[in-house]
Amino acid sequence: MNYYLRRTVRIPLTILAVATFTFGLIRLLPGGPFTQLRIQLIRQGVPAEQVNARIEALQNIRPDAPLWQQYLDYLIGVAQLDLGRSISLNAPVIEILARALPWTVFLVVTSTVLMFVIGVLIGAIQAYKEGSRFDKVASGSSIFLMAVPYYIFAVLFLFFLSFQLNLFPTGNAVERGIEASLSAEYFLSVLHHAALPIIAFTIGGVGSTALNMRGNGIQVLGEEYVEVARLRGLPDSRIATKYVAKNAILPMYTGLLLLIGFRLGGTVVLEQIFSYPGLGYYLISAVNANDYPLMMGCFLVITVTLVIAVYIADLTYGLIDPRISAGDSDGY
Amino acid sequence: MVTETDSSSPDDIDWRSETSSAEMSQRDRLAEFYEQSIYEPAVVAWSDVRTRLGIVILSVYLLMALVEVLGLWRNPAPNQAPRLLAPFVNMQYPLGTTQSGVDLFALIVDSTPFILLMVLAGGVWATSVAIVVGTISGYKGGTVDTVITSISDFFMAIPGLPLIIILAIALSPENPILLGVILTINYWAGLGRSIRSQVLSIREASYVEASRTMGTSTHRIILKDVLPNIMPYVMVNFVLAARYTIFASVGLYFIGVLPYTGQNWGVTLNNAYNQGGLFTLEALHWLLVPIVAIVGLAFGLILVSQGMDRIFNPRVRTRLTGKSESVEEESDNENTSAWV
């Protein structure tokens, strides 16, 4: 079957599997899914016989129905983008998540692209100047950067730049009172708030990217086709981009799938530290408030985002590596 | 397609060259084992500055764990010392104290065995599952491969930290070993995938082909031909999985979603962060001490993993034990594809 078609078909299947998994997880949580809500409703003075009906109205799951019925209801709800109502924030889960999702995507995409570009550039220079002073210093610092988790950078930035020097805000995605619009003021505010999280998240990954690129680059530079290209008298710039860079970056692309997953998951800690209102931030506040519908909604949306991100990465992989679209994909 | 060619009964001809064992005494064999498996790797490892530094750093942590296990240092308790004492001022409390007068060094030492155990469990779990899954699916191919690949694809589609958070709520793990396993619950998927691709290429190698033709059992081929070849990669990734376990656990303790009894590095960081460590420079050491503990351990692990490559590289090994001079320098970290 065609590579692109196969990848596309796999998306709904993966999402279905993840939704099923989420459904199972809800039942694994202590006290069952809706104990909290039930207690809350009874405390509000809702008569005991109406509690089930209210839960059904709020969460679109019938607590007294058989499991398969609940499962079907859940899947239908997910398909209609109805993830129930958040208990703690008292709003539909999907509305909260729709507001949070863009911020998370913004953080992850910007920082991952920055990390990739900076890391590849540093690694490429290192590979070209292998053994030089720059190479030694850069390798040393890359190894050290790998030892520091991104949230440590986040905490240190927050301490020095936000709390001590007051250069950056300590929370939120935009200044309060600035309306979402296309104005320069809004954009500056967004950048100002996102700068520290993005920088922290970027630095956290540059070290390993550079080391990877250096290793690949050195290997490719030793290949015969590079030698042949030099003998053919091709310009250095062409060799560097078409021959060396392309072949050195290619193996890193397969790691991208895992990388996106780790980084998307990592936003949980990052957003919590910066009080940045993305998916991860709401996941943690839902955890702290025992707000299961919001929690599972966050989990589901983060996972679906990952599935789609990996899909897009896969499609671009086909653009870079012609072997992929020609079939025989799972060779790596 | 690889099929079971091992119809051989156990009393078939054994192709292992055990003829020499008759002439070798137990003692010789031990000596050879020591020479090959302990002495030579140690020489190679020690000759590399990075590995040397890494081993020294890791030893410090082991020493700290030993101090705690033997009870050589006081246990952390509130009001055991003056509040917010700066580090290196009073040698009674070398790393200073927290806002509630807890000895920071005691806090760090107190949780070292816990952290080390958790890290070990995480690394062992992630790599052993990955090896089993990767070798089986890579070597067997066919339906087994398809099934295993689909399962690991599914696990790769779930972002790690959110899954860990939800599992932590459901299971509230306080045992370090269980916690280590949960933290790397889907780490094996990616690693298994790359082991699989390595096994795929090893499977086609001529010496494996030869073993198959000789009728060696699949079990034995995997054990003797395939595993030794992926071992370097696995060891490097073991260290990286261990690093991931520390990062994930401290991060999650830090944001307060993992259950805990008593304090550990992440919880200390959390307390420092939430109880005013962010606002004054006087409390900066409270924030920095757990950070240094975490970064130090991760740094030690990474240095060792960088050096490990050389231990397993046979060319470097022969050169360093003085058996060959004609080997080119710098063939290191080609398969350290750490990227998380």
Side-chain angles (χ1 to χ4, degrees):
Chain A
M1 215 196 309
N2 181 293
Y3 172 73
Y4 296 108
L5 191 64
R6 209 170 47 206
R7 289 295 292 129
T8 315
V9 169
R10 244 170 61 182
I11 288 192
L13 286 181
T14 318
I15 292 178
L16 178 70
V18 170
T20 310
F21 186 67
T22 319
F23 180 79
L25 270 181
I26 303 179
R27 264 130 204 93
L28 226 137
L29 292 170
F34 300 115
T35 318
Q36 192 73 21
L37 185 57
R38 183 161 298 165
I39 294 170
Q40 207 177 338
L41 286 174
I42 290 173
R43 218 179 269 154
Q44 282 169 4
V46 177
E49 56 272 18
Q50 281 180 30
V51 165
N52 272 354
R54 283 289 290 277
I55 292 178
E56 189 187 331
L58 285 176
Q59 304 302 342
N60 107 72
I61 276 188
R62 279 167 287 175
D64 49 352
L67 202 59
W68 62 268
Q69 187 80 48
Q70 292 189 22
Y71 175 62
L72 280 185
D73 286 349
Y74 179 76
L75 285 189
I76 292 170
V78 168
Q80 294 171 336
L81 295 179
D82 178 1
L83 300 172
R85 259 185 106 77
S86 158
I87 302 170
S88 60
L89 297 173
N90 198 22
V93 169
I94 197 74
E95 257 177 42
I96 300 170
L97 296 184
R99 258 182 288 134
L101 179 64
W103 296 122
T104 300
V105 171
F106 171 56
L107 277 193
V108 175
V109 169
T110 321
S111 66
T112 306
V113 169
L114 276 179
M115 177 205 83
F116 201 83
V117 171
I118 297 174
V120 162
L121 281 180
I122 293 178
I125 298 175
Q126 275 180 275
Y128 262 100
K129 304 192 169 179
E130 196 197 335
S132 68
R133 193 129 148 235
F134 174 79
D135 181 29
K136 290 209 171 88
V137 172
S139 287
S141 16
S142 292
I143 292 178
F144 181 71
L145 282 184
M146 276 177 75
V148 188
Y150 58 90
Y151 50 79
I152 298 289
F153 289 114
V155 169
L156 292 178
F157 286 166
L158 207 57
F159 179 82
F160 287 109
L161 300 177
S162 293
F163 282 102
Q164 300 301 326
L165 300 173
N166 283 323
L167 289 178
F168 287 93
T170 58
N172 284 325
V174 276
E175 201 75 49
R176 263 173 219 289
I178 298 184
E179 286 294 312
S181 62
L182 286 175
S183 66
E185 193 193 10
Y186 180 74
F187 275 110
L188 282 178
S189 179
V190 166
L191 280 183
H192 193 210
H193 283 77
L196 286 188
I198 287 179
I199 295 172
F201 218 19
T202 306
I203 294 182
V206 161
S208 38
T209 316
L211 275 187
N212 254 355
M213 181 63 191
R214 174 181 181 272
N216 292 345
I218 290 174
Q219 213 170 344
V220 172
L221 280 172
E223 297 283 350
E224 280 168 356
Y225 56 77
V226 177
E227 198 57 35
V228 171
R230 279 208 192 101
L231 292 177
R232 274 167 65 204
L234 292 180
D236 279 347
S237 60
R238 176 138 181 231
I239 296 178
T241 51
K242 286 271 171 187
Y243 288 73
V244 181
K246 201 171 168 183
N247 286 300
I249 291 173
L250 202 59
M252 297 172 71
Y253 228 82
T254 50
L256 205 60
L257 178 129
L258 281 172
L259 185 74
I260 298 174
F262 280 114
R263 290 181 77 80
L264 201 57
T267 55
V268 173
V269 179
L270 190 75
E271 290 174 352
Q272 181 66 15
I273 292 174
F274 286 103
S275 309
Y276 199 81
L279 293 174
Y281 178 77
Y282 282 109
L283 178 66
I284 301 299
S285 46
V287 165
N288 290 334
N290 274 325
D291 186 346
Y292 288 150
L294 183 57
M295 197 194 305
M296 299 327 280
C298 283
F299 182 69
L300 190 66
V301 172
I302 292 180
T303 313
V304 170
T305 313
L306 173 60
V307 170
I308 294 172
V310 167
Y311 174 67
I312 295 173
D314 261 3
L315 293 190
T316 50
Y317 187 29
L319 290 181
I320 295 186
D321 189 349
R323 284 172 300 184
I324 289 297
S325 41
D328 185 38
S329 60
D330 282 333
Y332 71 81
Chain B
M1 215 26 270
V2 185
T3 44
E4 299 282 321
T5 40
D6 50 332
S7 52
S8 57
S9 51
D11 52 5
D12 244 0
I13 310 160
D14 196 339
W15 293 97
R16 282 168 292 174
S17 56
E18 247 164 358
T19 40
S20 60
S21 66
E23 300 135 31
M24 269 171 90
S25 70
Q26 190 69 23
R27 199 197 158 89
D28 287 337
R29 222 179 304 167
L30 266 178
E32 190 183 327
F33 176 79
Y34 168 77
E35 181 80 10
Q36 281 183 354
S37 310
I38 298 171
Y39 177 71
E40 283 179 14
V43 166
V44 176
W46 199 250
S47 68
D48 190 54
V49 190
R50 291 176 294 185
T51 332
R52 209 180 308 161
L53 189 59
I55 291 174
V56 168
I57 292 175
L58 292 187
S59 313
V60 170
Y61 282 89
L62 284 179
L63 207 65
M64 270 161 53
L66 204 64
V67 164
E68 168 60 20
V69 171
L70 297 177
L72 295 177
W73 195 261
R74 64 176 85 84
N75 278 325
N79 297 319
Q80 64 186 176
R83 287 164 189 224
L84 279 183
L85 205 62
F88 310 118
V89 171
N90 184 342
M91 276 308 142
Q92 202 65 23
Y93 311 102
L95 297 179
T97 58
T98 71
Q99 191 152 35
S100 47
V102 185
D103 179 11
L104 266 173
F105 185 66
L107 268 183
I108 297 298
V109 167
D110 190 48
S111 52
T112 310
F114 178 91
I115 300 257
L116 292 187
L117 211 55
M118 179 189 72
V119 163
L120 191 68
V124 169
W125 160 261
T127 37
S128 43
V129 175
I131 293 177
V132 171
V133 165
T135 35
I136 292 181
S137 90
Y139 193 81
K140 284 279 184 187
T143 326
V144 180
D145 183 28
T146 317
V147 170
I148 291 180
T149 309
S150 320
I151 295 175
S152 53
D153 268 355
F154 170 69
F155 273 97
M156 279 201 277
I158 301 176
L161 288 189
L163 177 66
I164 297 167
I165 290 173
I166 287 171
L167 284 180
I169 297 166
L171 305 172
S172 40
E174 283 181 11
N175 177 307
I177 295 178
L178 177 64
L179 187 58
V181 169
I182 289 183
L183 287 168
T184 47
I185 192 79
N186 68 349
Y187 191 90
W188 59 267
L191 184 54
R193 176 55 82 84
S194 48
I195 289 179
R196 169 183 171 269
S197 61
Q198 300 214 350
V199 172
L200 273 180
S201 62
I202 294 173
R203 192 177 76 179
E204 307 300 329
S206 46
Y207 54 87
V208 176
E209 191 89 56
S211 294
R212 261 203 303 273
T213 336
M214 287 192 289
T216 316
S217 68
T218 315
H219 177 73
R220 213 185 143 72
I221 294 180
I222 289 184
L223 219 61
K224 292 278 167 183
D225 291 341
V226 177
L227 280 185
N229 277 296
I230 56 171
M231 244 12 211
Y233 186 75
V234 167
M235 290 309 289
V236 170
N237 275 284
F238 168 78
V239 175
L240 294 173
R243 181 188 73 126
Y244 175 77
T245 318
I246 314 172
F247 283 9
S249 70
V250 172
L252 294 180
Y253 274 122
F254 175 49
I255 58 172
V257 290
L258 283 186
Y260 60 89
T261 47
Q263 294 217 353
N264 61 44
W265 305 349
V267 179
T268 308
L269 193 61
N270 178 331
N271 287 344
Y273 182 81
N274 286 324
Q275 296 170 13
L278 275 183
F279 304 108
T280 53
L281 279 169
E282 274 122 67
L284 183 61
H285 68 278
W286 187 9
L287 208 56
L288 285 183
V289 166
I291 289 181
V292 170
I294 299 153
V295 172
L297 182 53
F299 192 50
L301 285 173
I302 290 170
L303 286 176
V304 169
S305 87
Q306 293 278 320
M308 202 107 78
D309 228 35
R310 299 179 140 246
I311 301 183
F312 287 109
N313 191 330
R315 289 190 299 181
V316 179
R317 201 152 94 187
T318 35
R319 179 161 53 89
L320 273 149
T321 45
K323 287 175 190 159
S324 154
E325 294 99 41
S326 61
V327 190
E328 69 268 41
E329 177 69 59
E330 278 297 323
S331 49
D332 54 339
N333 60 46
E334 261 157 35
N335 52 21
T336 9
S337 58
W339 210 21
V340 190

